Structure formats: C-alpha cells, structure tokens
Amino acid sequence: MKAKKPIGKVVGIDVGGTFTDLIMMDEDGSNIRVAKVPTTVENQAFGVLSALKATGERLDAVSTIIHGTTTTTNALLERKISRCGLITTRGFRDVLELGRRTRPKPYGLKGQFVPLIPRELRLEVTERMDAQGNVIRALDEGEVETAVKKLIAAGCEAIVVHFLHAYINPSHERRAGEIVRKFWPNNYITLGHAIISEYREYERGVTAAVNASIQPVLHRYISRLQNELKNEGYPRDLLVMQGNGGTVSSRIVSEAAVNTVMSGPASGIIAAAYTSVSAGMPNVITCDMGGTSCDVGLIQNGIPDVSSELELEYAMPIHVPMVDVHTIGAGGGSLAFINDAGMLQVGPESAGATPGPICYGRGGERPTITDANLLLGRINPDALLAVENKISLDAIAAIVEREIGEHMGMDAYEVAAAIIRIANDRMAGALRMVSLSRGHDPRDFALFAFGGAGPLHATALARELAIPNVLVPAKPGITNALGCLVADVRHDYVRTVNRPLADLDMKLVRDTLDAQVTEGKTTIGREQVEIEGLTVLHFADMQFRGQSHILTVPVANSNVTREKLSKDFEAVYWRRFEVSLPEIRPVLVNLHTAVIGRRKRVPLADLTQVDKKLGVKPRAHRRVWFEAGGWKKTPIYRREQLARGSKLSGPLIVEQLDSTIVVEPGCKLVTDKLGNLIIRVGGGAI
C-alpha cells in the first residue's frame, strides 16, 4: 500500500517596523500557530528566524514560506543604498535632479532633496531618439564603454542605462546593456525601459534608479536569509511579497527589486480583501495601525485599488503598479510631544522597536500612543508583548506629566485622552484621503480594522466618518502575515501608448495586451511555483487631452473597442468628479496587464478557536476611557469566549494575544460564521 504523503506546512511572515509576525498552518488549514517577536532592525533575517523558532516546528516539515519585507523600503527611506551609476543621453544627466514643478511646501516655492545617484556618477553618451522612436543620432558604443569603465573605477556596485524616449524604441538601451554586461562585475544592471515603459523621462529614470540602488541590498538580504533557512533545514524556494499584492519567487525577485517596495502594507490589503469577501463585505476601507505607522486603503468588490503613481517621499516617484496605500506616521509607537509652536503633536516620529514605548521597559522616556491607551485602561498592562522590564502605571503617568502635562496644565490622564483624540483625527484624515477625496462615500463601506493597534481606534474612526460597520478579523495583529499566506503570484506590465483615442490603432492595443499576457505566463513558468490557475486583468490609464493626471479604467479583455474605452473612461471620470467633458478628446496613456497565478485557497474558519471552558461572562471589569462617553466601568472579554453568533453591546473590551478591540458605548458586536467580529457603530440591528 502506498504511503500517505504527509501534510506540509505553510508559513507567512511579515516584518514590520516594531514586530515580526508569523502565522503557520497545515496546508489543509488546520493546526494554526502564530508568533510575534520584536523586529531586528540591524538584520531582519534574525527576527524572521526567531519567529520561526518560536513555533517549535522543524523547518524540514515546512513546504512553503512567503515573506513580506520592509528591507527595500527602509533602505530607500534611510538612504542605506548601494553606490549606483547612470549612463544617459547627452545633455540629460540632470533630469533626475530637476524633477517636476511640484514642491513639498506650497508657499515655500522650494524643495530640497538628494538624488539617489550623485551628479558625478551620472555620465552622458551620444545617442538620440525622437518622440516617435526614430533614430536622430546613433549610439556611440565607444563612449558607452568608456563610461562603464569610469563607473567601475568610481566604485559603483550597480548601474542604470536610461535614454531619452527609450520607452517607444529601446534599441539603444538594449545595445548599451550588451556593452555594459561585457565589463560589469555583477548582474546589478538596470535598463530603464525594462522596469517601466513610461513616456515620462523623470519618473521612468527615478524608478530605474530606485531599482538599481536597492537591487544589491535586496539580493544580499534574500541570499543571507535563504542560507540561514537552509542551515535550519529548509532548502526550498522562498516566495517574496511585492508591492502589487502578489508574490514572486526569490529566484528572480532582485531582477525587479523596485517591485518589493511597500510589500508590507500590500500584504495587509490582500488579507483584508480575502477576508472581507469571505465575510460578505466586499467593499471596505482598510485601517492597518501597527507600531510605527497607519496604512489605509480602499477595496471595491473585493479588489484592492492599484496605482502606478506612488511617491515614496518628495522627489521619489516609483511608477510601478502597487496596491494604493496611504501611509501616515500614526502607529502605537508614534511619539507625542510639545512642538515648536507649543502645541501637542502626535507622530510622525516613532519610538520603533528600540527603545519602544515607555511601557516596554526598554529605556523609553517619551510618551507614545500605546502609553496613552494603557493609561486610559484600553490595554491590559499585564498582557503587553515584548515588555522587558515592567513599569507601573504611576511611573508611566509621571513621565507623561513631566514631558507634556506640566507644559499644558493637564494631568497625565487628560494628556493621554488628548493624544488619543489627536491620533484619531490624523487617522480619520487619512481615511478621508482614500474615500471622500476620491469620490467615495464612506457610508457605502465597512471599516476593516487590523494591525496590533487598529481595533483600539476603529469604532471611534467609524463614528467620525459615519461608517456603519467595523470588521475585525480573527487575527488582527498578524493580518499582514496572513496576507502573505493568501497572496497569489502576480506580475504587472505597463506600456505607454500616449495617443488620442480617436487616432488610436486598436490592433496595437490588442497586440500589446496579448504580448503582456504572454510575458506574464512565461515569467510565472520560470518561477516554478505551484498554482491552481491563471487570472488576467487589463487596465487602461487615460486622461483628457491637456491634463497631467490619469484615471484607471478596467478593460474586460484584449478585444476592447474604441467606443467601449471612451464610454468607460467617461463613466470613471464622472464617478470621480461628477463632470462631463464631451468637447475634450480622451487620450490612452498606458496599457496595464496583471497576470495572476492563483495559489491554493486558505480556509479562514479555523483561524479562531473557541474555549467553552471560559464561559460567556466577562473575565474582569476595569475603568476605561472612551472618546464617546468618557470613563466607564467596562466588562473585559477574551476573544476565545466569543462563539459564532455571539452578540454583545458596548461598552466592552475584547482581548487576544495579538490585539485589543475597543467597542464604544452605543455599539453592538456580533461574531460571524468565520469568527470575525462585526461591530455595528451607533447600535441598531446587525
């Protein structure tokens, strides 16, 4: 009799600014284990290994590991990047520094930044294409060879080739790349058109520079992590989260390292989409509040918004498709302080993992949002994770009073309430940015609250924006890790067309979309990742002639007609602005295709376990402050007490290992069939 194949285990690991989160389960969805350990900032691989060891499971029993990392994002923000050189068209080496007319301070009329590639490492060669892709000046191959040798002598580790109008005719870039490969000592070579075929030279050049500057950083990190995993008994391939919400094999991830920027927030959005659809709420606004930041996004009909217009920071546009996430510095570790104007400010600076909030007992002496929640009774002081030396509430209150209260004539608890109000106001503003400012009514959505701190603030935020329901998933504090588990393999391709719709060759549209599908299928085949099927999504980036910003229009298939594109664009424009402009000609700017390899589905019903021994009565009561109602004696429940169909009325607190859920007065709570908590804000039947 043939031996039964043992059930493998799958692992999702997400590295955040404060914690590294892990979820492990059998491939059939059973035997779930979670871990939450401090992030090791100096080398994220150590935190990943620590989380794996915390499960107590041997790595040779693990079949798949999917990893979301902030390595590339942090490298860019902290400028811990590789030394990079540029070869570009003669007369255009300063394009990356001139930028656009936009400035970070509208009244200052200036904005200073340091380009990723310094001027002395930006070299010019003779070549020129016109905007139609015709050769005006042939490529001087001798100059390319000379430039390559200069950059090698200057100690450059990576190189970018970025020529004018290469998006329409990349022949010069390709030939220059062949010359570079003859001399360059490694594979860190980026051709601008190969990353994005976009007509805007500045954005395309910066995106290529980002890719090159972080390529060695990512490659070293992934290689080091894989070696460590191999030494622990895991010899298989590693899947890495991308900013578009899909995964990519570690075999090829560094080829387009720029795609991993913002992979952490993307994994949370993917988990939110997966969970909300399963819960019958496909339209949600997400609120992921972790230790360092708060990330918000929008999901319609179970599909997250994807944008190619990300600007990581001023003068750093990264124009590859990414899940559209708006981030603000409002996490549990965000610092509260008196600013230069004498006003109380919360964030964006964070205490991070070290020293962390005061209550972590690691030497922190500056109040944070977590400390405020603790003082107000919203967090159980005996259930904090990552505490090294326990500090009493009185000691925390004394520090808060010294640092802020004495300046404002307030006691520590009044300061804590003010910190919560300011933090909520900032997060509400972020939620408006992804909803109201884009033409969406928040009342048509549920608020999907996750992250370790998201459920602490969710009902107050929902009340502020008149959002009727809050959805709290089974494991809110490790939802990003769950996103790694449920994410599909995904590759996006964007090509610039930039033609008025009336003059457009529709055969070119069909051929481009079909070619992108073929390229995606080929790439997924190279990865050798087990998938259950393929899904293809097409989009058109469009604008009216003379406008600078674009809107994304879904395209059903490659056989789209001119009339259909025009009608759909007008509908999207109307939904966004409620303006009709029939007298202006629409322009098709980019064609975008996403090729998605669907991985095996993960059952969600087993993510929560009910402990009937705990009963249904509150485990305790404590005095808690609520934004809507002030101080109240409040019942405290454990998440394991809430069986499917449980119904409770606020105020109440629900505690679990990875998060705490605050249900304000007047709200009602029910546990759905998957173990999610649905909170009806303002009461009423659910």
Side-chain angles (χ1 to χ4, degrees), residues 329-403:
S334 292
L335 296 170
F337 59 97
I338 304 297
N339 62 21
D340 293 340
M343 300 176 67
L344 177 60
Q345 181 174 328
V346 180
E349 187 181 356
S350 173
T354 305
I358 301 168
C359 57
Y360 282 12
R362 299 179 190 164
E365 288 285 329
R366 301 176 66 186
T368 66
I369 295 175
T370 295
D371 296 312
N373 275 312
L374 190 67
L375 287 176
L376 297 174
R378 297 153 69 87
I379 299 177
N380 184 350
D382 297 322
L384 287 171
L385 295 174
V387 172
E388 292 187 1
N389 299 294
K390 189 172 180 180
I391 298 179
S392 69
L393 289 178
D394 289 341
I396 296 171
I399 295 174
V400 171
E401 206 159 312
R402 183 190 70 212
E403 293 293 318

Side-chain angles (χ1 to χ4, degrees), residues 487-500:
D488 294 317
V489 178
R490 174 168 174 158
H491 296 282
D492 288 76
Y493 304 91
V494 179
R495 178 180 169 183
T496 290
V497 177
N498 204 25
R499 294 284 188 274

Side-chain angles (χ1 to χ4, degrees), residues 400-459:
V400 171
E401 206 159 312
R402 183 190 70 212
E403 293 293 318
I404 298 174
E406 292 176 1
H407 297 273
M408 306 192 72
M410 301 164 68
D411 66 29
Y413 300 95
E414 290 171 327
V415 170
I419 290 172
I420 298 301
R421 286 193 180 103
I422 292 170
N424 286 347
D425 183 68
R426 293 193 62 214
M427 289 186 283
L431 293 171
R432 291 186 181 97
M433 284 290 294
V434 299
S435 56
L436 287 167
S437 68
R438 299 178 184 177
H440 303 291
D441 189 338
R443 294 173 295 184
D444 296 333
F445 295 79
L447 181 62
F448 189 98
F450 63 106
L456 280 165
H457 300 258
T459 50

Side-chain angles (χ1 to χ4, degrees), residues 64-68 238-250 252-253 260 263 267 270 483-491 523-524 527 529-531 595-597 599:
T64 307
I65 296 178
I66 308 98
H67 177 32
L238 181 72
L239 294 180
V240 182
M241 282 296 302
Q242 300 181 104
N244 63 8
T247 63
V248 60
S249 166
S250 60
I252 65 173
V253 65
T260 65
S263 76
S267 63
I270 295 303
C484 295
L485 274 189
V486 302
D488 294 317
V489 178
R490 174 168 174 158
H491 296 282
T523 302
I524 290 177
E527 292 178 292
V529 176
E530 185 179 348
I531 60 174
V595 182
I596 303 168
R599 295 176 54 238

